[in-house]
Amino acid sequence: MTPDLHQLADLRSAAAAAGWILPIQPRYVDLIRSGEKNCELRTYDTQIRPDSWVLAYTSQPSSAIDLALLIGAVEQHAPDRLWRDPGPHRLGVSPEAWQRAFTSVPVVWVHTIASVVELAPIGRAELTDRWPGWRPPQRATRRRQDWPSPAAWLEPAPTRPAPIRPVQLLLPIDFSTPAD
């Protein structure tokens, strides 16, 4: 399915504005896509601020950037209070995962997702080719200034005519009409 011009403009603006790359496990990316999760949780201050576009790097086995997320708000919460009363946040985390990740930290950073834009997956090999020094992020990472915006990757590649090469005939061909 080809996106209409409005959708393509949204894709381009989201991808162009993204200044951050955030690694997210595939199961959480799926929950974000479905709307069952509307925030991303971290145990550290990512330095991502409200109204920032973020490229979501889906970790293995996908190993691709496939979403652009607009962060609506960034809040700090005590883990026990947030778990008991998440308010408008759909955490998307099982009790076991919560126990493992958040009960031993003093603060949970909640990045509320205001908008999700789906991108055609940009895989690890393509990222390595296009972004010098690219490595899959382990934490929230700023997109380097020398890395071109992925917005350019959303445009169709220009078509070029095939090169014209001289053809050398190896066998003589007789184009005359046969005699009757």
Side-chain angles (χ1 to χ4, degrees), residues 9-111:
D10 289 346
L11 288 174
R12 283 196 188 117
S13 62
W20 290 91
I21 303 159
L22 191 62
I24 304 175
Q25 294 179 19
R27 68 176 174 252
Y28 298 126
V29 169
D30 292 341
L31 292 172
I32 290 169
R33 269 194 188 101
S34 71
E36 294 176 55
K37 183 173 182 0
N38 69 350
C39 59
E40 187 54 28
L41 309 169
R42 295 289 184 235
T43 59
Y44 60 93
D45 181 3
T46 63
Q47 301 297 313
I48 297 171
R49 298 298 170 236
D51 299 322
S52 296
W53 280 100
V54 173
L55 296 171
Y57 179 79
T58 305
S59 57
Q60 292 183 344
S62 298
S63 301
I65 290 174
D66 51 6
L67 293 178
L69 309 172
L70 177 61
I71 302 301
V74 179
E75 306 165 359
Q76 297 178 51
H77 291 277
D80 57 336
R81 278 199 214 138
L82 180 61
W83 184 251
R84 282 193 314 266
D85 181 17
H89 305 296
R90 292 187 299 279
L91 305 176
V93 180
S94 69
E96 298 80 21
W98 182 268
Q99 185 74 22
R100 272 193 317 275
F102 300 110
T103 56
S104 63
V105 297
V107 173
V108 175
W109 292 83
V110 179
H111 300 78

Side-chain angles (χ1 to χ4, degrees), residues 77-166:
H77 291 277
D80 57 336
R81 278 199 214 138
L82 180 61
W83 184 251
R84 282 193 314 266
D85 181 17
H89 305 296
R90 292 187 299 279
L91 305 176
V93 180
S94 69
E96 298 80 21
W98 182 268
Q99 185 74 22
R100 272 193 317 275
F102 300 110
T103 56
S104 63
V105 297
V107 173
V108 175
W109 292 83
V110 179
H111 300 78
T112 304
I113 299 168
S115 184
V116 177
V117 176
E118 191 130 2
L119 304 172
I122 305 165
R124 184 176 179 174
E126 186 174 2
L127 290 164
T128 301
D129 288 345
R130 293 182 182 238
W131 285 351
W134 163 259
R135 290 182 190 195
Q138 302 302 308
R139 297 171 63 94
T141 305
R142 276 193 192 274
R143 184 169 59 87
R144 289 182 7 192
Q145 294 301 315
D146 62 329
W147 290 350
S149 164
W153 306 346
L154 302 172
E155 297 178 23
T159 56
R160 291 180 229 147
I164 299 172
R165 296 188 181 123

